[in-house]
Amino acid sequence: QVQLVESGGGLVQAGGSLRLSCAASGSIYRIDDMGWYRQAPGMQRELVASITNGGSANYVDSVKGRFTISRDNAKNTVYLQMNSLKPGDTAVYYCNAQVVRPFTFNSYTKWGQGTQVTVAS
């Protein structure tokens, strides 16, 4: 079994910063793409940022220049540095990983449990 454990959410004033972490543990051969999604109340879950195993990153337009995704492959951990936060960034943030199983090398998607980010105006 594989677990993704997120941390770093909380309440912050507009203009502030938070850093989210998501660590994967368990039966892992390799993790390919990792990403951060968010879901605000009454809204669909949206992709915020993703990063390949090689470090290539993509961002939704609304966070470009403010958020930075990074990863430590040795620790199977992905980070999301969020700066210049806005009330519109308020949501539950979920991490996501494409996990490759050992032995079979099958790939599947694993989700974290979510962490609340609240930005006060």
Side-chain angles (χ1 to χ4, degrees), residues 10-81:
L11 173 64
V12 64
Q13 294 293 317
S17 298
L18 285 174
R19 189 189 193 213
L20 305 183
S21 299
C22 174
S25 62
S27 185
I28 300 169
Y29 173 74
R30 184 183 71 240
I31 298 179
D32 291 333
D33 291 359
M34 302 186 82
W36 288 96
Y37 289 70
R38 66 187 179 187
Q39 188 167 19
M43 304 292 286
Q44 287 190 332
R45 190 174 296 188
E46 67 167 351
L47 175 64
V48 176
S50 64
I51 186 167
T52 67
N53 184 279
S56 296
N58 286 290
Y59 301 90
V60 67
D61 286 347
S62 61
V63 308
K64 285 180 179 177
R66 300 188 299 122
F67 290 11
T68 302
I69 189 171
S70 61
R71 64 189 287 172
D72 184 334
N73 290 335
K75 296 180 179 179
N76 288 328
T77 300
V78 63
Y79 306 95
L80 187 67
Q81 177 67 44

Side-chain angles (χ1 to χ4, degrees), residues 2 5 14 16 28 38 69 106 120-121:
V2 171
V5 179
I28 300 169
R38 66 187 179 187
I69 189 171
N106 291 334
S121 57

